[in-house]
PDB file of all heavy atoms in Angstrom:
ATOM      1  N   GLN K 323      55.555 -81.642-160.217  1.00  0.00           N
ATOM      2  CA  GLN K 323      55.326 -80.277-160.692  1.00  0.00           C
ATOM      3  C   GLN K 323      56.210 -79.958-161.922  1.00  0.00           C
ATOM      4  O   GLN K 323      55.731 -79.333-162.855  1.00  0.00           O
ATOM      5  CB  GLN K 323      55.659 -79.343-159.517  1.00  0.00           C
ATOM      6  CG  GLN K 323      54.692 -79.393-158.364  1.00  0.00           C
ATOM      7  CD  GLN K 323      55.188 -78.576-157.188  1.00  0.00           C
ATOM      8  OE1 GLN K 323      56.186 -77.802-157.317  1.00  0.00           O
ATOM      9  NE2 GLN K 323      54.461 -78.636-156.053  1.00  0.00           N
ATOM     10  N   PHE K 324      57.441 -80.463-161.871  1.00  0.00           N
ATOM     11  CA  PHE K 324      58.319 -80.276-163.023  1.00  0.00           C
ATOM     12  C   PHE K 324      57.802 -80.892-164.265  1.00  0.00           C
ATOM     13  O   PHE K 324      57.743 -80.356-165.358  1.00  0.00           O
ATOM     14  CB  PHE K 324      59.712 -80.829-162.722  1.00  0.00           C
ATOM     15  CG  PHE K 324      60.713 -80.705-163.748  1.00  0.00           C
ATOM     16  CD1 PHE K 324      61.493 -79.554-163.932  1.00  0.00           C
ATOM     17  CD2 PHE K 324      60.932 -81.747-164.683  1.00  0.00           C
ATOM     18  CE1 PHE K 324      62.371 -79.427-165.000  1.00  0.00           C
ATOM     19  CE2 PHE K 324      61.846 -81.669-165.737  1.00  0.00           C
ATOM     20  CZ  PHE K 324      62.575 -80.468-165.894  1.00  0.00           C
ATOM     21  N   ARG K 325      57.267 -82.128-164.097  1.00  0.00           N
ATOM     22  CA  ARG K 325      56.703 -82.904-165.223  1.00  0.00           C
ATOM     23  C   ARG K 325      55.510 -82.179-165.795  1.00  0.00           C
ATOM     24  O   ARG K 325      55.371 -82.034-167.032  1.00  0.00           O
ATOM     25  CB  ARG K 325      56.410 -84.298-164.816  1.00  0.00           C
ATOM     26  CG  ARG K 325      55.700 -85.139-165.885  1.00  0.00           C
ATOM     27  CD  ARG K 325      55.436 -86.560-165.425  1.00  0.00           C
ATOM     28  NE  ARG K 325      56.697 -87.239-165.263  1.00  0.00           N
ATOM     29  CZ  ARG K 325      56.752 -88.572-164.899  1.00  0.00           C
ATOM     30  NH1 ARG K 325      55.666 -89.164-164.483  1.00  0.00           N
ATOM     31  NH2 ARG K 325      57.943 -89.164-164.798  1.00  0.00           N
ATOM     32  N   LEU K 326      54.570 -81.716-164.904  1.00  0.00           N
ATOM     33  CA  LEU K 326      53.403 -81.015-165.400  1.00  0.00           C
ATOM     34  C   LEU K 326      53.776 -79.775-166.140  1.00  0.00           C
ATOM     35  O   LEU K 326      53.169 -79.414-167.189  1.00  0.00           O
ATOM     36  CB  LEU K 326      52.450 -80.673-164.216  1.00  0.00           C
ATOM     37  CG  LEU K 326      51.765 -81.926-163.545  1.00  0.00           C
ATOM     38  CD1 LEU K 326      50.997 -81.449-162.360  1.00  0.00           C
ATOM     39  CD2 LEU K 326      50.885 -82.645-164.510  1.00  0.00           C
ATOM     40  N   ARG K 327      54.725 -79.009-165.619  1.00  0.00           N
ATOM     41  CA  ARG K 327      55.200 -77.764-166.268  1.00  0.00           C
ATOM     42  C   ARG K 327      55.715 -78.147-167.688  1.00  0.00           C
ATOM     43  O   ARG K 327      55.385 -77.473-168.673  1.00  0.00           O
ATOM     44  CB  ARG K 327      56.191 -77.036-165.473  1.00  0.00           C
ATOM     45  CG  ARG K 327      55.688 -76.368-164.260  1.00  0.00           C
ATOM     46  CD  ARG K 327      56.623 -75.286-163.708  1.00  0.00           C
ATOM     47  NE  ARG K 327      57.968 -75.820-163.443  1.00  0.00           N
ATOM     48  CZ  ARG K 327      58.334 -76.343-162.284  1.00  0.00           C
ATOM     49  NH1 ARG K 327      57.445 -76.395-161.246  1.00  0.00           N
ATOM     50  NH2 ARG K 327      59.539 -76.889-162.094  1.00  0.00           N
ATOM     51  N   LYS K 328      56.542 -79.162-167.800  1.00  0.00           N
ATOM     52  CA  LYS K 328      57.114 -79.500-169.045  1.00  0.00           C
ATOM     53  C   LYS K 328      56.053 -80.106-170.059  1.00  0.00           C
ATOM     54  O   LYS K 328      56.184 -79.806-171.237  1.00  0.00           O
ATOM     55  CB  LYS K 328      58.272 -80.496-168.853  1.00  0.00           C
ATOM     56  CG  LYS K 328      59.410 -79.948-168.078  1.00  0.00           C
ATOM     57  CD  LYS K 328      59.962 -78.622-168.662  1.00  0.00           C
ATOM     58  CE  LYS K 328      60.989 -77.927-167.822  1.00  0.00           C
ATOM     59  NZ  LYS K 328      61.355 -76.612-168.292  1.00  0.00           N
ATOM     60  N   ILE K 329      55.107 -80.785-169.481  1.00  0.00           N
ATOM     61  CA  ILE K 329      54.050 -81.320-170.380  1.00  0.00           C
ATOM     62  C   ILE K 329      53.191 -80.134-170.905  1.00  0.00           C
ATOM     63  O   ILE K 329      52.858 -80.083-172.101  1.00  0.00           O
ATOM     64  CB  ILE K 329      53.136 -82.318-169.622  1.00  0.00           C
ATOM     65  CG1 ILE K 329      53.974 -83.637-169.334  1.00  0.00           C
ATOM     66  CG2 ILE K 329      51.850 -82.583-170.376  1.00  0.00           C
ATOM     67  CD1 ILE K 329      53.201 -84.654-168.517  1.00  0.00           C
ATOM     68  N   LEU K 330      52.953 -79.201-170.035  1.00  0.00           N
ATOM     69  CA  LEU K 330      52.214 -78.006-170.506  1.00  0.00           C
ATOM     70  C   LEU K 330      52.999 -77.214-171.504  1.00  0.00           C
ATOM     71  O   LEU K 330      52.415 -76.772-172.557  1.00  0.00           O
ATOM     72  CB  LEU K 330      51.890 -77.057-169.289  1.00  0.00           C
ATOM     73  CG  LEU K 330      51.153 -75.776-169.663  1.00  0.00           C
ATOM     74  CD1 LEU K 330      49.768 -76.085-170.235  1.00  0.00           C
ATOM     75  CD2 LEU K 330      50.938 -74.943-168.346  1.00  0.00           C
ATOM     76  N   THR K 331      54.274 -77.061-171.307  1.00  0.00           N
ATOM     77  CA  THR K 331      55.074 -76.391-172.279  1.00  0.00           C
ATOM     78  C   THR K 331      55.108 -77.165-173.561  1.00  0.00           C
ATOM     79  O   THR K 331      55.001 -76.537-174.656  1.00  0.00           O
ATOM     80  CB  THR K 331      56.544 -76.291-171.704  1.00  0.00           C
ATOM     81  OG1 THR K 331      56.556 -75.542-170.520  1.00  0.00           O
ATOM     82  CG2 THR K 331      57.453 -75.584-172.731  1.00  0.00           C
ATOM     83  N   GLY K 332      55.272 -78.458-173.539  1.00  0.00           N
ATOM     84  CA  GLY K 332      55.248 -79.237-174.717  1.00  0.00           C
ATOM     85  C   GLY K 332      53.925 -79.169-175.448  1.00  0.00           C
ATOM     86  O   GLY K 332      53.842 -79.145-176.683  1.00  0.00           O
ATOM     87  N   SER K 333      52.823 -79.164-174.685  1.00  0.00           N
ATOM     88  CA  SER K 333      51.464 -79.103-175.274  1.00  0.00           C
ATOM     89  C   SER K 333      51.270 -77.787-176.043  1.00  0.00           C
ATOM     90  O   SER K 333      50.825 -77.707-177.170  1.00  0.00           O
ATOM     91  CB  SER K 333      50.350 -79.212-174.233  1.00  0.00           C
ATOM     92  OG  SER K 333      50.477 -80.494-173.580  1.00  0.00           O
ATOM     93  N   LEU K 334      51.683 -76.658-175.396  1.00  0.00           N
ATOM     94  CA  LEU K 334      51.608 -75.397-176.033  1.00  0.00           C
ATOM     95  C   LEU K 334      52.539 -75.325-177.261  1.00  0.00           C
ATOM     96  O   LEU K 334      52.123 -74.773-178.346  1.00  0.00           O
ATOM     97  CB  LEU K 334      52.001 -74.263-175.019  1.00  0.00           C
ATOM     98  CG  LEU K 334      51.106 -74.074-173.862  1.00  0.00           C
ATOM     99  CD1 LEU K 334      51.644 -73.031-172.901  1.00  0.00           C
ATOM    100  CD2 LEU K 334      49.661 -73.692-174.342  1.00  0.00           C
ATOM    101  N   ALA K 335      53.682 -75.888-177.114  1.00  0.00           N
ATOM    102  CA  ALA K 335      54.618 -75.880-178.301  1.00  0.00           C
ATOM    103  C   ALA K 335      54.038 -76.745-179.372  1.00  0.00           C
ATOM    104  O   ALA K 335      54.162 -76.458-180.641  1.00  0.00           O
ATOM    105  CB  ALA K 335      55.976 -76.358-177.817  1.00  0.00           C
ATOM    106  N   GLY K 336      53.380 -77.845-179.032  1.00  0.00           N
ATOM    107  CA  GLY K 336      52.761 -78.770-180.067  1.00  0.00           C
ATOM    108  C   GLY K 336      51.646 -78.016-180.746  1.00  0.00           C
ATOM    109  O   GLY K 336      51.475 -78.158-182.023  1.00  0.00           O
ATOM    110  N   ILE K 337      50.791 -77.318-180.016  1.00  0.00           N
ATOM    111  CA  ILE K 337      49.734 -76.589-180.655  1.00  0.00           C
ATOM    112  C   ILE K 337      50.325 -75.493-181.629  1.00  0.00           C
ATOM    113  O   ILE K 337      49.807 -75.367-182.780  1.00  0.00           O
ATOM    114  CB  ILE K 337      48.844 -75.902-179.588  1.00  0.00           C
ATOM    115  CG1 ILE K 337      48.091 -76.913-178.716  1.00  0.00           C
ATOM    116  CG2 ILE K 337      47.886 -74.886-180.207  1.00  0.00           C
ATOM    117  CD1 ILE K 337      47.375 -76.314-177.589  1.00  0.00           C
ATOM    118  N   PHE K 338      51.360 -74.913-181.141  1.00  0.00           N
ATOM    119  CA  PHE K 338      52.028 -73.878-182.032  1.00  0.00           C
ATOM    120  C   PHE K 338      52.612 -74.543-183.262  1.00  0.00           C
ATOM    121  O   PHE K 338      52.412 -74.072-184.421  1.00  0.00           O
ATOM    122  CB  PHE K 338      53.141 -73.198-181.254  1.00  0.00           C
ATOM    123  CG  PHE K 338      53.976 -72.235-182.119  1.00  0.00           C
ATOM    124  CD1 PHE K 338      53.440 -70.983-182.362  1.00  0.00           C
ATOM    125  CD2 PHE K 338      55.176 -72.644-182.620  1.00  0.00           C
ATOM    126  CE1 PHE K 338      54.222 -70.134-183.187  1.00  0.00           C
ATOM    127  CE2 PHE K 338      55.918 -71.745-183.413  1.00  0.00           C
ATOM    128  CZ  PHE K 338      55.453 -70.474-183.697  1.00  0.00           C
ATOM    129  N   PHE K 339      53.273 -75.695-183.128  1.00  0.00           N
ATOM    130  CA  PHE K 339      53.810 -76.413-184.255  1.00  0.00           C
ATOM    131  C   PHE K 339      52.683 -76.907-185.216  1.00  0.00           C
ATOM    132  O   PHE K 339      52.796 -76.922-186.425  1.00  0.00           O
ATOM    133  CB  PHE K 339      54.600 -77.621-183.740  1.00  0.00           C
ATOM    134  CG  PHE K 339      55.383 -78.302-184.851  1.00  0.00           C
ATOM    135  CD1 PHE K 339      56.550 -77.793-185.330  1.00  0.00           C
ATOM    136  CD2 PHE K 339      54.953 -79.505-185.439  1.00  0.00           C
ATOM    137  CE1 PHE K 339      57.282 -78.402-186.368  1.00  0.00           C
ATOM    138  CE2 PHE K 339      55.590 -80.122-186.479  1.00  0.00           C
ATOM    139  CZ  PHE K 339      56.789 -79.573-186.959  1.00  0.00           C
ATOM    140  N   GLY K 340      51.506 -77.367-184.564  1.00  0.00           N
ATOM    141  CA  GLY K 340      50.405 -77.744-185.430  1.00  0.00           C
ATOM    142  C   GLY K 340      49.901 -76.548-186.228  1.00  0.00           C
ATOM    143  O   GLY K 340      49.519 -76.725-187.449  1.00  0.00           O
ATOM    144  N   GLY K 341      49.813 -75.357-185.628  1.00  0.00           N
ATOM    145  CA  GLY K 341      49.347 -74.187-186.342  1.00  0.00           C
ATOM    146  C   GLY K 341      50.329 -73.839-187.455  1.00  0.00           C
ATOM    147  O   GLY K 341      49.910 -73.462-188.573  1.00  0.00           O
ATOM    148  N   VAL K 342      51.639 -73.968-187.194  1.00  0.00           N
ATOM    149  CA  VAL K 342      52.603 -73.686-188.218  1.00  0.00           C
ATOM    150  C   VAL K 342      52.455 -74.643-189.398  1.00  0.00           C
ATOM    151  O   VAL K 342      52.603 -74.270-190.562  1.00  0.00           O
ATOM    152  CB  VAL K 342      54.075 -73.813-187.607  1.00  0.00           C
ATOM    153  CG1 VAL K 342      55.081 -73.732-188.756  1.00  0.00           C
ATOM    154  CG2 VAL K 342      54.283 -72.680-186.644  1.00  0.00           C
ATOM    155  N   THR K 343      52.151 -75.947-189.060  1.00  0.00           N
ATOM    156  CA  THR K 343      51.966 -76.920-190.119  1.00  0.00           C
ATOM    157  C   THR K 343      50.754 -76.593-190.929  1.00  0.00           C
ATOM    158  O   THR K 343      50.802 -76.686-192.235  1.00  0.00           O
ATOM    159  CB  THR K 343      51.842 -78.318-189.514  1.00  0.00           C
ATOM    160  OG1 THR K 343      52.931 -78.662-188.609  1.00  0.00           O
ATOM    161  CG2 THR K 343      51.656 -79.416-190.524  1.00  0.00           C
ATOM    162  N   ALA K 344      49.657 -76.207-190.270  1.00  0.00           N
ATOM    163  CA  ALA K 344      48.472 -75.801-191.021  1.00  0.00           C
ATOM    164  C   ALA K 344      48.749 -74.619-191.920  1.00  0.00           C
ATOM    165  O   ALA K 344      48.288 -74.462-193.075  1.00  0.00           O
ATOM    166  CB  ALA K 344      47.310 -75.541-190.102  1.00  0.00           C
ATOM    167  N   LEU K 345      49.505 -73.654-191.386  1.00  0.00           N
ATOM    168  CA  LEU K 345      49.830 -72.433-192.202  1.00  0.00           C
ATOM    169  C   LEU K 345      50.654 -72.802-193.409  1.00  0.00           C
ATOM    170  O   LEU K 345      50.436 -72.295-194.476  1.00  0.00           O
ATOM    171  CB  LEU K 345      50.599 -71.447-191.344  1.00  0.00           C
ATOM    172  CG  LEU K 345      51.045 -70.135-191.966  1.00  0.00           C
ATOM    173  CD1 LEU K 345      49.764 -69.311-192.457  1.00  0.00           C
ATOM    174  CD2 LEU K 345      51.863 -69.297-191.041  1.00  0.00           C
ATOM    175  N   PHE K 346      51.531 -73.805-193.239  1.00  0.00           N
ATOM    176  CA  PHE K 346      52.388 -74.193-194.343  1.00  0.00           C
ATOM    177  C   PHE K 346      51.524 -74.884-195.431  1.00  0.00           C
ATOM    178  O   PHE K 346      51.707 -74.654-196.624  1.00  0.00           O
ATOM    179  CB  PHE K 346      53.452 -75.149-193.844  1.00  0.00           C
ATOM    180  CG  PHE K 346      54.265 -75.804-194.962  1.00  0.00           C
ATOM    181  CD1 PHE K 346      55.360 -75.042-195.545  1.00  0.00           C
ATOM    182  CD2 PHE K 346      54.008 -77.093-195.442  1.00  0.00           C
ATOM    183  CE1 PHE K 346      56.095 -75.574-196.568  1.00  0.00           C
ATOM    184  CE2 PHE K 346      54.774 -77.618-196.461  1.00  0.00           C
ATOM    185  CZ  PHE K 346      55.819 -76.866-197.007  1.00  0.00           C
ATOM    186  N   VAL K 347      50.522 -75.712-195.028  1.00  0.00           N
ATOM    187  CA  VAL K 347      49.670 -76.323-195.939  1.00  0.00           C
ATOM    188  C   VAL K 347      48.854 -75.264-196.719  1.00  0.00           C
ATOM    189  O   VAL K 347      48.639 -75.371-197.926  1.00  0.00           O
ATOM    190  CB  VAL K 347      48.742 -77.334-195.223  1.00  0.00           C
ATOM    191  CG1 VAL K 347      47.591 -77.771-196.159  1.00  0.00           C
ATOM    192  CG2 VAL K 347      49.514 -78.531-194.682  1.00  0.00           C
ATOM    193  N   MET K 348      48.398 -74.237-195.994  1.00  0.00           N
ATOM    194  CA  MET K 348      47.628 -73.216-196.630  1.00  0.00           C
ATOM    195  C   MET K 348      48.502 -72.405-197.664  1.00  0.00           C
ATOM    196  O   MET K 348      48.085 -72.060-198.727  1.00  0.00           O
ATOM    197  CB  MET K 348      47.072 -72.239-195.602  1.00  0.00           C
ATOM    198  CG  MET K 348      46.183 -71.145-196.117  1.00  0.00           C
ATOM    199  SD  MET K 348      45.521 -70.107-194.852  1.00  0.00           S
ATOM    200  CE  MET K 348      47.038 -69.300-194.305  1.00  0.00           C
ATOM    201  N   MET K 349      49.796 -72.200-197.289  1.00  0.00           N
ATOM    202  CA  MET K 349      50.639 -71.450-198.172  1.00  0.00           C
ATOM    203  C   MET K 349      51.000 -72.167-199.475  1.00  0.00           C
ATOM    204  O   MET K 349      51.257 -71.510-200.475  1.00  0.00           O
ATOM    205  CB  MET K 349      51.974 -71.104-197.400  1.00  0.00           C
ATOM    206  CG  MET K 349      51.799 -70.069-196.279  1.00  0.00           C
ATOM    207  SD  MET K 349      53.335 -69.779-195.390  1.00  0.00           S
ATOM    208  CE  MET K 349      54.336 -69.087-196.720  1.00  0.00           C
ATOM    209  N   VAL K 350      50.949 -73.520-199.428  1.00  0.00           N
ATOM    210  CA  VAL K 350      51.205 -74.258-200.703  1.00  0.00           C
ATOM    211  C   VAL K 350      49.998 -74.448-201.471  1.00  0.00           C
ATOM    212  O   VAL K 350      49.978 -75.143-202.526  1.00  0.00           O
ATOM    213  CB  VAL K 350      51.817 -75.630-200.334  1.00  0.00           C
ATOM    214  CG1 VAL K 350      53.181 -75.523-199.616  1.00  0.00           C
ATOM    215  CG2 VAL K 350      50.886 -76.485-199.483  1.00  0.00           C
ATOM    216  N   GLY K 351      48.840 -73.790-201.037  1.00  0.00           N
ATOM    217  CA  GLY K 351      47.640 -73.752-201.871  1.00  0.00           C
ATOM    218  C   GLY K 351      46.623 -74.775-201.516  1.00  0.00           C
ATOM    219  O   GLY K 351      45.554 -74.843-202.215  1.00  0.00           O
ATOM    220  N   LEU K 352      46.876 -75.551-200.457  1.00  0.00           N
ATOM    221  CA  LEU K 352      45.883 -76.556-200.056  1.00  0.00           C
ATOM    222  C   LEU K 352      44.936 -75.925-199.016  1.00  0.00           C
ATOM    223  O   LEU K 352      45.237 -75.901-197.792  1.00  0.00           O
ATOM    224  CB  LEU K 352      46.611 -77.821-199.504  1.00  0.00           C
ATOM    225  CG  LEU K 352      47.531 -78.509-200.516  1.00  0.00           C
ATOM    226  CD1 LEU K 352      48.269 -79.668-199.821  1.00  0.00           C
ATOM    227  CD2 LEU K 352      46.784 -78.980-201.747  1.00  0.00           C
ATOM    228  N   LEU K 353      43.818 -75.373-199.524  1.00  0.00           N
ATOM    229  CA  LEU K 353      42.948 -74.636-198.664  1.00  0.00           C
ATOM    230  C   LEU K 353      41.718 -75.444-198.109  1.00  0.00           C
ATOM    231  O   LEU K 353      40.870 -74.927-197.512  1.00  0.00           O
ATOM    232  CB  LEU K 353      42.396 -73.432-199.444  1.00  0.00           C
ATOM    233  CG  LEU K 353      43.473 -72.492-199.945  1.00  0.00           C
ATOM    234  CD1 LEU K 353      42.804 -71.315-200.752  1.00  0.00           C
ATOM    235  CD2 LEU K 353      44.279 -71.877-198.862  1.00  0.00           C
ATOM    236  N   ASN K 354      41.858 -76.746-198.315  1.00  0.00           N
ATOM    237  CA  ASN K 354      40.783 -77.627-197.784  1.00  0.00           C
ATOM    238  C   ASN K 354      40.803 -77.596-196.261  1.00  0.00           C
ATOM    239  O   ASN K 354      41.833 -77.974-195.680  1.00  0.00           O
ATOM    240  CB  ASN K 354      40.930 -79.014-198.281  1.00  0.00           C
ATOM    241  CG  ASN K 354      39.743 -79.916-197.981  1.00  0.00           C
ATOM    242  OD1 ASN K 354      39.249 -79.857-196.889  1.00  0.00           O
ATOM    243  ND2 ASN K 354      39.370 -80.786-198.932  1.00  0.00           N
TER     244      ASN K 354
END
Side-chain angles (χ1 to χ4, degrees):
Q323 294 173 7
F324 179 85
R325 175 176 292 178
L326 290 176
R327 288 197 304 269
K328 296 308 174 185
I329 290 176
L330 178 60
T331 300
S333 299
L334 294 175
I337 294 172
F338 175 78
F339 188 79
V342 171
T343 304
L345 181 61
F346 176 78
V347 170
M348 183 179 66
M349 290 177 63
V350 298
L352 300 175
L353 302 177
N354 187 321

